[in-house]
Amino acid sequence: MHNPTKLLANESLILFKALSNYAQVNTNGSSNHAIDCISDNSHKSHLPEILFITSYPPRECGIATYSHDLLHAWQQQFNQSFSVKVCALENGEATGAYVYPNEVKYILHTDNLKQYYHLADSINNDENLQIIMVQHEFGLYGGVNGEYLVRFLSSINKPIISTFHTVLPRPNEAQKKIIQNIITLSAKIIVMTQNAATILAATYGAPDNKITIIAHGTHLTAMGNKQEKKAKKHLGNRTVLSTFGLLSSGKCIETALDALPAIVAEFPEVVYLIIGKTHPNVIKREGENYRNLLFEKVIALELQNNVRFINKYLVLSELQEYLQLTDIYLFTSKNPDQAVSGTFAYAMAGGCPVISTPIPHATEMLNEAGVIIDFQNIRQLAAATIQLLSNPALLQQMRLNALHKMRPTAWQNAAIAHCQLVLSVVSKPTPATLKYSFPPISLQHVKRLTTNMGMIQFANISLPDLQSGYTLDDNARALIAVTRHFAMTGEQTDLYLMEAYLNLILHCQQPLGNFYNYVDADGHFFEKNDHENLEDANGRAIWALGELIAQHHALNELFTQRAHNSIQLSLCYIATMKSPRAVAFALKGLYHCNMVQPSEILRKTIVQFADNLVSKYNSVSDAGWQWYEEYLTYGNSVLPEAVLYAYLTTGNPVYLSISKQSFNFLLSIIFQNGHIRVVSNQGWHIKGQPTSQFGEQPIDVAYTILALGLFYDTFHEPQYLLKMEQAFSWFLGKNHLQQIMYNPSSGGCYDGLEEKHINLNQGAESTVSYLLARLMVEKYALAIHQQTTVNNLFANA
């Protein structure tokens, strides 16, 4: 390995940023960068470390933004499994020009070859550093065509994964040799489109087994009301076209401006937003010449009322607002070699129909979510815009198509894909010991779905669909979840939610004690209440009322007395229920009620329900099928859970034995290789027949987690804790699609995991199910952490 001579102490070196010991600050406020790889070992992380070599904010460039977003998602998902650090690239900036965040460990001045070798020495001597992630773009590294990077990689004795942001289809010989050398020196190569992968193999000879396609990441959003967002930005009812990003002539904004007069002639209310600062490199070369050219064109075309320049670098939240109020996004790049565009991806992820020039990224992603036009074709751009604005239904469908197309590219999913690739290269952590980090608990979407009447049933993406009305089912589950949240946090605003849900439940109760399930937006009952079997909904209502009563010590007595009175009124009706799940739900509620106000009738009803389930178990089960029915359907975990509650009430050992046998049988089916895969709603698991593999619902995962908590409390077996974490990780991406089911931006949960896609609607059932699961793992978080730590020690021994 190259070993350069020692540099003088006052020469600019690789800069190590060691927590509080980053730099000695001069009296004028600038940093003294004459320090050589100084490490603060007292703060060294014991987690395996990944080092990204990339430009990084506050430097303003596309790759810096990309890397920041990827690292942020990675840290959110896996901060208990990896320590992610950055070597920030600087090129021509004055020393100390940027103040970096804590994850920046090194700074590399890319035109100084000696610094590359010093960085290599530091990397090779760091036993905790597992892998190097290199972001590549021509112009990012020093030397001819970035040859310094090749010399650096040749000096590294750690595995390397390189990401190519551009793959030139027609490189010159020098460029081709550079890329081929990087391919040879890398364990894996990441590209962002199929087109780039094809070029990499055909033109550069990259082996197929080295190439992985991971799409450019995008941000999950909470969809808002477009007209409200337009009003906030003083855009009224205007039709909005937009373009964003660091401004340069390559964006070819003049194509859109030249097309605008024809568009305005048809739609005078159109306004075109040109969002973003001029690229810093452009400023260095030519100042604001390009922006001034655009100003002059706006005046020449008399478009002052139809064009607005927003000359600033937007923070993410503001950018997302502009994208959500955009009616059509215009992507007019004139560079056919531009493999991928972050601005294009972010626009689609924000639900924007896009009119785009045919860069590879657009031709692969834009199907049915926009229109492709030729480069610099003014006529096509005008015609496409007029066509789409003339067809609001088509625009709306394209908007939905864009959201569905881009949701798999969420940064959380990109982080999962990168993590899985890293695991295929490094020795630790192993897939078995990888831990998903739990997101903060949020009631954001729960509150969005709740009105004064209760919780709305459905959502269009994340926008509540008031016309779907309300159900007893959803409001019962919501009452359980928010009651548990109140018990955990004492959050007083929970009481308003709980009152709304309780009122809806009591509104549904009929004079004979039974409950209706379906309520319209005005509080009237749907006719189908009289034509459907509503036993399961009635059972859930009793469960919810019991959970509320269990918190009597923290609630107003009148509040819990209303719940108690409702249960008393229902007893005659629920005693006639036959559905196993209805019986199980009700038994859970009666258990809680009986714990607070013991009574013989409650105890007898619990025994009646438990004996009902035991009878079903005895009539169906055998050595290979320890269950209550000849099939597994939905909400399976609630059956053994209810029998265990009956044991806790009565002490009957039969209940104890059957509950554990049946629950362990269920777990043996739905847990395989450390993953949960609940029974499909596309076809139940029938005894002796193959099972359907797809169509998983959040509610079944949540019910499993709730039952695991009770079984752990009763039996104190570590397997229940471990399976609880594994099951909750299903929401975070540990599922067959390796995609997150929870939207941390909205606080909602997607409605279903299908074979090849996720149902993006975030309705009441899925959102409350996630909250129930999240609260349960929060309750056991310390115990889960301790148990997984022990298991990982054995696994890595």
Side-chain angles (χ1 to χ4, degrees), residues 651-701:
N652 187 334
V654 173
Y655 299 158
L656 182 70
S657 174
I658 289 177
S659 66
K660 188 173 186 184
Q661 289 173 15
S662 58
F663 191 51
N664 287 349
F665 168 74
L666 175 64
L667 297 180
S668 73
I669 291 175
I670 64 176
F671 281 91
Q672 299 292 332
N673 301 318
H675 291 69
I676 189 173
R677 179 168 280 187
V678 293
V679 175
S680 168
N681 67 349
Q682 303 298 317
W684 304 130
H685 183 164
I686 300 174
K687 181 179 180 180
Q689 295 185 15
T691 61
S692 298
Q693 294 297 313
F694 308 106
E696 299 173 69
Q697 303 297 301
I699 191 169
D700 285 312
V701 180

Coordinates of all heavy atoms in Angstrom, one line a residue, residues 651-701:
G651 N -58.2 -19.3 36.7 CA -57.2 -20.2 37.1 C -57.4 -21.6 36.6 O -56.6 -22.5 37.0
N652 N -58.3 -21.8 35.7 CA -58.5 -23.1 35.1 C -57.3 -23.6 34.3 O -57.0 -23.0 33.2 CB -59.8 -23.1 34.2 CG -60.2 -24.4 33.7 OD1 -59.4 -25.4 33.6 ND2 -61.5 -24.6 33.5
P653 N -56.6 -24.6 34.6 CA -55.4 -25.1 33.9 C -55.7 -25.5 32.5 O -54.8 -25.5 31.6 CB -54.9 -26.2 34.7 CG -56.0 -26.7 35.5 CD -56.9 -25.5 35.8
V654 N -56.9 -25.9 32.2 CA -57.3 -26.3 30.8 C -57.2 -25.1 29.9 O -56.6 -25.2 28.8 CB -58.7 -26.9 30.8 CG1 -59.1 -27.2 29.3 CG2 -58.8 -28.2 31.6
Y655 N -57.6 -24.0 30.4 CA -57.5 -22.8 29.6 C -56.0 -22.4 29.3 O -55.7 -22.0 28.2 CB -58.2 -21.6 30.3 CG -59.7 -21.7 30.5 CD1 -60.3 -21.0 31.5 CD2 -60.5 -22.6 29.7 CE1 -61.7 -21.1 31.7 CE2 -61.8 -22.7 30.0 CZ -62.4 -22.0 31.0 OH -63.8 -22.1 31.2
L656 N -55.2 -22.6 30.3 CA -53.8 -22.3 30.2 C -53.1 -23.1 29.2 O -52.4 -22.7 28.3 CB -53.1 -22.4 31.6 CG -51.6 -22.1 31.6 CD1 -51.4 -20.6 31.5 CD2 -51.0 -22.6 32.9
S657 N -53.4 -24.4 29.2 CA -52.8 -25.4 28.3 C -53.2 -25.2 26.9 O -52.4 -25.1 26.0 CB -53.1 -26.8 28.8 OG -52.6 -27.8 27.8
I658 N -54.5 -25.0 26.7 CA -55.0 -24.9 25.3 C -54.6 -23.5 24.7 O -54.2 -23.4 23.5 CB -56.6 -25.0 25.3 CG1 -56.9 -26.5 25.5 CG2 -57.2 -24.5 24.0 CD1 -58.4 -26.7 25.6
S659 N -54.6 -22.5 25.5 CA -54.2 -21.2 25.0 C -52.7 -21.2 24.5 O -52.4 -20.7 23.4 CB -54.3 -20.1 26.0 OG -53.4 -20.3 27.1
K660 N -51.9 -21.9 25.3 CA -50.5 -21.9 24.9 C -50.2 -22.8 23.7 O -49.5 -22.5 22.7 CB -49.6 -22.3 26.0 CG -48.1 -22.2 25.7 CD -47.2 -22.5 26.9 CE -45.7 -22.2 26.6 NZ -44.8 -22.5 27.7
Q661 N -50.9 -24.0 23.7 CA -50.7 -24.9 22.6 C -51.2 -24.3 21.2 O -50.5 -24.3 20.2 CB -51.6 -26.2 22.8 CG -51.0 -27.1 23.9 CD -52.0 -28.2 24.2 OE1 -52.9 -28.5 23.4 NE2 -51.7 -28.9 25.3
S662 N -52.3 -23.6 21.3 CA -52.9 -23.1 20.1 C -52.1 -21.8 19.6 O -51.9 -21.6 18.4 CB -54.4 -22.7 20.3 OG -54.6 -21.8 21.3
F663 N -51.6 -21.0 20.5 CA -50.9 -19.9 20.1 C -49.5 -20.3 19.5 O -49.1 -19.7 18.5 CB -50.7 -18.9 21.4 CG -50.1 -17.6 21.0 CD1 -50.7 -16.8 20.0 CD2 -49.0 -17.1 21.6 CE1 -50.2 -15.5 19.7 CE2 -48.5 -15.8 21.3 CZ -49.1 -15.0 20.3
N664 N -48.9 -21.2 20.2 CA -47.6 -21.6 19.6 C -47.8 -22.3 18.2 O -46.9 -22.2 17.4 CB -46.9 -22.6 20.6 CG -46.3 -21.9 21.8 OD1 -46.2 -20.7 21.8 ND2 -45.9 -22.7 22.8
F665 N -48.9 -23.0 18.1 CA -49.2 -23.6 16.7 C -49.3 -22.4 15.7 O -48.8 -22.5 14.6 CB -50.5 -24.4 16.8 CG -51.1 -24.7 15.5 CD1 -50.4 -25.7 14.7 CD2 -52.2 -24.1 15.0 CE1 -51.0 -26.0 13.4 CE2 -52.7 -24.4 13.7 CZ -52.1 -25.4 13.0
L666 N -50.1 -21.4 16.1 CA -50.3 -20.3 15.1 C -48.9 -19.6 14.8 O -48.6 -19.3 13.6 CB -51.2 -19.2 15.8 CG -51.4 -17.9 15.0 CD1 -52.1 -18.2 13.6 CD2 -52.2 -17.0 15.8
L667 N -48.1 -19.4 15.8 CA -46.8 -18.8 15.6 C -45.9 -19.6 14.7 O -45.2 -19.1 13.9 CB -46.1 -18.6 17.0 CG -46.8 -17.6 17.9 CD1 -45.9 -17.5 19.2 CD2 -47.0 -16.2 17.3
S668 N -46.0 -20.9 14.8 CA -45.2 -21.8 14.0 C -45.6 -21.7 12.5 O -44.8 -22.0 11.6 CB -45.4 -23.3 14.4 OG -46.6 -23.8 14.0
I669 N -46.8 -21.2 12.2 CA -47.2 -21.0 10.8 C -46.9 -19.6 10.3 O -46.5 -19.5 9.1 CB -48.8 -21.3 10.7 CG1 -49.0 -22.8 11.0 CG2 -49.3 -20.9 9.4 CD1 -50.5 -23.1 11.0
I670 N -47.1 -18.6 11.1 CA -47.0 -17.2 10.6 C -45.6 -16.7 10.7 O -45.3 -15.6 10.2 CB -48.0 -16.3 11.2 CG1 -47.8 -16.2 12.7 CG2 -49.4 -16.8 10.9 CD1 -48.8 -15.2 13.4
F671 N -44.7 -17.3 11.5 CA -43.3 -16.9 11.6 C -42.4 -17.9 11.0 O -42.4 -19.1 11.3 CB -42.9 -16.8 13.1 CG -43.4 -15.5 13.8 CD1 -44.6 -15.5 14.4 CD2 -42.6 -14.3 13.7 CE1 -45.1 -14.3 15.0 CE2 -43.1 -13.2 14.3 CZ -44.3 -13.2 15.0
Q672 N -41.6 -17.4 10.0 CA -40.7 -18.3 9.3 C -39.4 -17.5 9.1 O -39.4 -16.4 8.6 CB -41.2 -18.7 7.9 CG -42.5 -19.6 8.0 CD -42.3 -20.9 8.6 OE1 -41.2 -21.5 8.5 NE2 -43.3 -21.5 9.2
N673 N -38.2 -18.1 9.5 CA -36.9 -17.5 9.3 C -36.8 -16.0 9.8 O -36.3 -15.1 9.2 CB -36.6 -17.5 7.8 CG -36.6 -18.9 7.3 OD1 -36.0 -19.8 7.9 ND2 -37.1 -19.1 6.1
G674 N -37.4 -15.8 11.0 CA -37.4 -14.5 11.6 C -38.3 -13.4 11.0 O -38.2 -12.3 11.4
H675 N -39.2 -13.8 10.2 CA -40.2 -12.9 9.6 C -41.6 -13.4 9.9 O -41.9 -14.6 10.0 CB -40.0 -12.9 8.0 CG -38.8 -12.3 7.5 ND1 -37.5 -12.9 7.7 CD2 -38.5 -11.2 6.8 CE1 -36.6 -12.2 7.1 NE2 -37.2 -11.1 6.6
I676 N -42.5 -12.4 10.0 CA -43.9 -12.7 10.1 C -44.5 -12.6 8.8 O -44.2 -11.7 8.0 CB -44.6 -11.8 11.2 CG1 -46.0 -12.3 11.4 CG2 -44.6 -10.3 10.7 CD1 -46.7 -11.6 12.5
R677 N -45.4 -13.5 8.5 CA -46.3 -13.4 7.3 C -47.6 -13.9 7.7 O -47.9 -15.1 7.8 CB -45.7 -14.3 6.1 CG -46.6 -14.2 4.9 CD -45.9 -14.8 3.7 NE -44.9 -13.9 3.1 CZ -44.3 -14.1 1.9 NH1 -44.5 -15.2 1.3 NH2 -43.5 -13.2 1.4
V678 N -48.5 -13.0 8.0 CA -49.8 -13.4 8.5 C -50.7 -14.0 7.4 O -50.4 -13.9 6.2 CB -50.6 -12.2 9.1 CG1 -49.8 -11.7 10.4 CG2 -50.7 -11.0 8.1
V679 N -51.8 -14.6 7.8 CA -52.6 -15.3 6.9 C -53.2 -14.4 5.8 O -53.7 -13.3 6.2 CB -53.8 -16.1 7.6 CG1 -54.7 -16.7 6.6 CG2 -53.2 -17.1 8.6
S680 N -53.2 -14.8 4.6 CA -53.6 -13.9 3.5 C -55.1 -13.7 3.5 O -55.9 -14.7 3.7 CB -53.2 -14.5 2.2 OG -53.8 -13.9 1.1
N681 N -55.5 -12.5 3.2 CA -57.0 -12.3 3.0 C -57.4 -12.6 1.6 O -58.6 -12.4 1.2 CB -57.3 -10.8 3.3 CG -56.7 -9.8 2.3 OD1 -55.9 -10.2 1.5 ND2 -57.2 -8.6 2.4
Q682 N -56.5 -13.1 0.7 CA -56.8 -13.5 -0.6 C -57.3 -15.0 -0.6 O -57.7 -15.5 -1.7 CB -55.6 -13.4 -1.5 CG -55.1 -11.9 -1.6 CD -56.1 -11.0 -2.1 OE1 -56.8 -11.2 -3.1 NE2 -56.2 -9.8 -1.5
G683 N -57.1 -15.7 0.5 CA -57.5 -17.1 0.6 C -57.0 -17.6 1.9 O -55.8 -17.6 2.2
W684 N -58.0 -18.1 2.7 CA -57.6 -18.5 4.1 C -56.8 -19.7 4.1 O -56.7 -20.5 3.1 CB -58.9 -18.7 4.9 CG -59.9 -17.6 4.9 CD1 -61.2 -17.6 4.7 CD2 -59.6 -16.2 5.3 NE1 -61.8 -16.4 4.9 CE2 -60.8 -15.5 5.2 CE3 -58.4 -15.5 5.7 CZ2 -60.9 -14.1 5.5 CZ3 -58.5 -14.2 5.9 CH2 -59.7 -13.5 5.9
H685 N -56.1 -20.0 5.2 CA -55.2 -21.1 5.4 C -56.1 -22.3 5.9 O -56.5 -22.4 7.0 CB -54.1 -20.8 6.4 CG -53.2 -22.0 6.6 ND1 -52.0 -21.8 7.2 CD2 -53.2 -23.3 6.3 CE1 -51.3 -23.0 7.3 NE2 -52.1 -23.9 6.7
I686 N -56.5 -23.2 5.0 CA -57.4 -24.3 5.3 C -56.5 -25.5 5.6 O -55.5 -25.8 5.0 CB -58.3 -24.6 4.1 CG1 -59.1 -23.3 3.8 CG2 -59.2 -25.8 4.4 CD1 -60.0 -23.4 2.5
K687 N -57.0 -26.2 6.6 CA -56.3 -27.4 7.1 C -56.0 -28.4 6.0 O -56.9 -28.8 5.2 CB -57.2 -28.1 8.2 CG -56.5 -29.3 8.8 CD -57.5 -29.9 9.9 CE -56.9 -31.1 10.6 NZ -57.8 -31.6 11.6
G688 N -54.7 -28.7 5.8 CA -54.4 -29.7 4.8 C -54.2 -29.2 3.4 O -53.9 -30.0 2.5
Q689 N -54.3 -27.9 3.3 CA -54.2 -27.3 1.9 C -53.1 -26.3 1.9 O -52.7 -25.7 2.9 CB -55.5 -26.7 1.5 CG -56.7 -27.7 1.3 CD -57.9 -27.0 0.8 OE1 -57.9 -25.9 0.3 NE2 -59.0 -27.7 0.9
P690 N -52.5 -26.0 0.7 CA -51.5 -25.0 0.6 C -52.0 -23.6 1.0 O -53.2 -23.4 0.8 CB -51.1 -25.0 -0.9 CG -51.5 -26.4 -1.4 CD -52.7 -26.7 -0.6
T691 N -51.2 -22.8 1.4 CA -51.6 -21.4 1.9 C -51.4 -20.4 0.8 O -50.4 -20.5 0.0 CB -50.9 -21.0 3.2 OG1 -49.5 -20.9 2.9 CG2 -51.1 -22.0 4.3
S692 N -52.2 -19.4 0.8 CA -52.0 -18.2 -0.1 C -50.9 -17.4 0.5 O -50.7 -17.3 1.8 CB -53.2 -17.4 -0.2 OG -54.3 -18.1 -0.8
Q693 N -50.0 -16.8 -0.3 CA -48.8 -16.1 0.2 C -49.0 -14.6 0.3 O -48.2 -14.0 1.0 CB -47.7 -16.4 -0.8 CG -47.3 -17.9 -0.8 CD -46.8 -18.3 0.5 OE1 -45.9 -17.7 1.2 NE2 -47.3 -19.5 1.0
F694 N -50.0 -14.0 -0.3 CA -50.0 -12.5 -0.3 C -51.4 -12.0 0.1 O -52.4 -12.7 0.0 CB -49.6 -12.1 -1.7 CG -48.4 -12.7 -2.3 CD1 -48.4 -13.7 -3.2 CD2 -47.1 -12.3 -1.7 CE1 -47.2 -14.2 -3.7 CE2 -46.0 -12.8 -2.2 CZ -46.0 -13.8 -3.2
G695 N -51.4 -10.7 0.4 CA -52.6 -10.1 0.9 C -52.6 -10.0 2.4 O -53.5 -10.5 3.1
E696 N -51.6 -9.3 3.0 CA -51.4 -9.2 4.5 C -52.0 -7.9 4.9 O -51.8 -6.8 4.3 CB -50.0 -9.4 4.8 CG -49.4 -10.7 4.4 CD -47.9 -10.7 4.7 OE1 -47.5 -10.8 5.9 OE2 -47.1 -10.7 3.7
Q697 N -52.7 -7.9 6.1 CA -53.3 -6.8 6.6 C -52.6 -6.3 7.9 O -52.3 -7.2 8.8 CB -54.8 -7.1 6.9 CG -55.6 -7.5 5.7 CD -55.6 -6.5 4.6 OE1 -56.1 -5.4 4.9 NE2 -55.1 -6.8 3.5
P698 N -52.4 -5.0 8.1 CA -51.8 -4.5 9.4 C -52.5 -5.0 10.6 O -51.9 -5.2 11.7 CB -51.9 -3.0 9.2 CG -51.9 -2.8 7.7 CD -52.7 -3.9 7.2
I699 N -53.9 -5.2 10.5 CA -54.6 -5.5 11.7 C -54.2 -6.9 12.3 O -54.1 -7.1 13.5 CB -56.1 -5.5 11.5 CG1 -56.9 -5.5 12.8 CG2 -56.6 -6.5 10.5 CD1 -58.4 -5.2 12.6
D700 N -53.9 -7.8 11.4 CA -53.5 -9.1 11.8 C -52.1 -9.1 12.5 O -51.9 -9.9 13.5 CB -53.5 -10.1 10.7 CG -54.9 -10.5 10.3 OD1 -55.7 -10.8 11.2 OD2 -55.3 -10.5 9.1
V701 N -51.2 -8.3 12.0 CA -49.9 -8.2 12.6 C -50.1 -7.5 14.0 O -49.5 -8.0 15.0 CB -49.0 -7.3 11.7 CG1 -47.6 -7.2 12.4 CG2 -48.8 -7.9 10.4

